[in-house]
C-alpha cells in the first residue's frame, strides 16, 4: 500500500459538533486507485495461483475498472481484454482518454452492443470468449466478487475505530460490503448509490450478514453518470476549500450527500464521520470533454 493513504479532516463549519474526515484511498496507487486496488488485490493473487496469464473483464466507455485492470495487467505481466459496452465506441478510441490509456497499457478490446452487454453474465456469452481467447481469469464488471469484498475489508484499520459513521459511494456494492463486514458494532455504514433503483440492497446482502448499514438513495442526480451544474459547483467549491479532488460519478455525489445530511440534522450531535475516497479521478478528463461539448462548467482537478 502507498504510505500516503491517510485520513484528512475536512475543516468546514459543520453544526452540532460534527467532525468529518476523508480516507484518501485515491492515493493508494497512481493508476490503480482507491477501491479498484482493494478489489483487484486478491483477484490478481488468485489468477496467479490458478496459473492464468490472461484477465478478461467488462466496462463502459469511461470505466475506472477498465483502466485499473489494464494497468494491473501491465504491472503483473498479464494479458488483459476489456469487453466494452457500446459497439459504436470501436471507432472512437482515440477520442476517449480511458480507452486510450487502457490500450496503451496493452489491453485488447471487444466492443459489443448494449443489448448483448446485458447478457454478459450468461454462460453462452462467456463461452464465446473462451472459444476465442482460450483459458482466462474472469473479473466481474466493477470487480465485485467475494475476493474483492475481502480486499475491501482491509480499508478500515484499527485507527478508525472511533468513527461513528463510515460513508462510501456505491457502484456494484463490493466496497460497502467489505466495510460492513469489517466495521465495529458501534459504527454505522452509509452507502450513497451512484445508480437509480433498489436492486443494490439485494446485491450487498449476498456478501454480508450484519445489519449495521443503510443506503441513502436520493443523491444519484438522475442515475449513473448523470450530473448537473449544482453538483459541478459543489465539487469545484469543495476542491477550492479542501484541495481534495472528487470525481462526478461516485465521490462527488457521496460528499454532496454527506454535507447535505449534516446540514439537515441527519447525524446526531458529536458524530464522527469517515468518508471513503474511492478514487475514480481518471474519469474526470472524459467527463470534462462531454461538459465542454455541452457548454457546461468543467470540473476542477
Amino acid at each position: 500500500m502507498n504510505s500516503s493513504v491517510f485520513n484528512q479532516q475536512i475543516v468546514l463549519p459543520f453544526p452540532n459538533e460534527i467532525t468529518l474526515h476523508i480516507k484518501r484511498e485515491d492515493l493508494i496507487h497512481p493508476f490503480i486507485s482507491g477501491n479498484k486496488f482493494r478489489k483487484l488485490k486478491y483477484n490478481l493473487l488468485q489468477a496467479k495461483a490458478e496459473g492464468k496469464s490472461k484477465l478478461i473483464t467488462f466496462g463502459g466507455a469511461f470505466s475506472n475498472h477498465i483502466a485499473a485492470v489494464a494497468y494491473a495487467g501491465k504491472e503483473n505481466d498479464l494479458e488483459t481484454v476489456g469487453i466494452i459496452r457500446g459497439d459504436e465506441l470501436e471507432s472512437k478510441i482515440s477520442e476517449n482518454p480511458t480507452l486510450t490509456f487502457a490500450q496503451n497499457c496493452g489491453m485488447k478490446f471487444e466492443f459489443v452492443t448494449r443489448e448483448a452487454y446485458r447478457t454478459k453474465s450468461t454462460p453462452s456469452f462467456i463461452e464465446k470468449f473462451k472459444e476465442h481467447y482460450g483459458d482466462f481469469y474472469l473479473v466481474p464488471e466493477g470487480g465485485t466478487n467475494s475476493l474483492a469484498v475481502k480486499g475491501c475489508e482491509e480499508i478500515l484499520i484499527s485507527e478508525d475505530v472511533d468513527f461513528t459513521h463510515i460513508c462510501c459511494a456505491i457502484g456494484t456494492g463490493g466496497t460497502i460490503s467489505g466495510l460492513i463486514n469489517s466495521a465495529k458494532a458501534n459504527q454505522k455504514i452509509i452507502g450513497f448509490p451512484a445508480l437509480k433503483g433498489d436492486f443494490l440492497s439485494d446485491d450487498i446482502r449476498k456478501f454480508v450478514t450484519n445489519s449495521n448499514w443503510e443506503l441513502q438513495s436520493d443523491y444519484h442526480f438522475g442515475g449513473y453518470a448523470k450530473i448537473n451544474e449544482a453538483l459541478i459547483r459543489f465539487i469545484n467549491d469543495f476542491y477550492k476549500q479542501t484541495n481534495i479532488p472528487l470525481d462526478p460519478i461516485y465521490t462527488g455525489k457521496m460528499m454532496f450527500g454527506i454535507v447535505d445530511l449534516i446540514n439537515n440534522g441527519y447525524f446526531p450531535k458529536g458524530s464522527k464521520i469517515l468518508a471513503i475516497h474511492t478514487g475514480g479521478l481518471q474519469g474526470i478528463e472524459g467527463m470534462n470533454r462531454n461538459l465542454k461539448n455541452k457548454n457546461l462548467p468543467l470540473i476542477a482537478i
Side-chain angles (χ1 to χ4, degrees), residues 165 188 190 214 216 260-268:
H165 298 78
K188 185 174 185 178
I190 305 173
E214 69 174 40
Q216 288 286 338
D260 187 62
L261 290 174
I262 290 174
N263 290 330
N264 283 284
Y266 169 84
F267 293 98

Side-chain angles (χ1 to χ4, degrees), residues 71-248:
Y71 195 89
K74 176 184 177 182
E75 195 171 60
N76 290 273
D77 200 27
L78 295 166
E79 295 179 55
T80 57
V81 179
I83 301 171
I84 308 299
R85 181 179 65 248
D87 55 342
E88 76 282 357
L89 297 170
E90 187 166 7
S91 61
K92 301 177 181 178
I93 295 175
S94 62
E95 302 172 20
N96 184 299
T98 300
L99 296 181
T100 298
F101 172 82
Q103 188 176 66
N104 289 340
C105 290
M107 178 174 273
K108 297 177 182 177
F109 299 125
E110 290 282 349
F111 295 90
V112 300
T113 65
R114 282 165 168 74
E115 182 180 8
Y117 192 85
R118 286 193 286 270
T119 68
K120 64 184 180 298
S121 300
T122 62
S124 59
F125 187 96
I126 303 302
E127 191 61 36
K128 180 174 65 174
F129 289 98
K130 286 183 178 179
E131 293 172 2
H132 184 70
Y133 287 104
D135 194 28
F136 58 80
Y137 185 87
L138 185 68
V139 183
E141 182 179 32
T144 291
N145 56 17
S146 59
L147 291 174
V149 172
K150 179 182 178 181
C152 290
E153 289 172 2
E154 298 176 352
I155 293 173
L156 295 179
I157 57 177
S158 57
E159 287 84 349
D160 300 328
V161 68
D162 290 333
F163 289 103
T164 59
H165 298 78
I166 313 295
C167 299
C168 77
I170 307 178
T172 53
T175 303
I176 191 173
S177 296
L179 294 171
I180 292 166
N181 290 342
S182 61
K184 302 302 181 184
N186 63 300
Q187 295 177 314
K188 185 174 185 178
I189 311 301
I190 305 173
F192 293 81
L195 302 84
K196 294 173 68 173
D198 299 325
F199 59 93
L200 279 170
S201 293
D202 292 335
D203 290 345
I204 293 166
R205 290 190 185 98
K206 296 174 185 176
F207 300 107
V208 307
T209 56
N210 296 330
S211 58
N212 58 334
W213 58 281
E214 69 174 40
L215 303 186
Q216 288 286 338
S217 302
D218 295 331
Y219 300 101
H220 53 67
F221 285 81
Y224 184 74
K226 303 291 186 181
I227 66 173
N228 59 25
E229 290 194 45
L231 180 61
I232 298 171
R233 185 166 54 251
F234 172 84
I235 290 171
N236 288 342
D237 287 345
F238 188 85
Y239 184 63
K240 289 178 184 177
Q241 293 167 323
T242 66
N243 203 35
I244 300 174
L246 302 173
D247 84 286

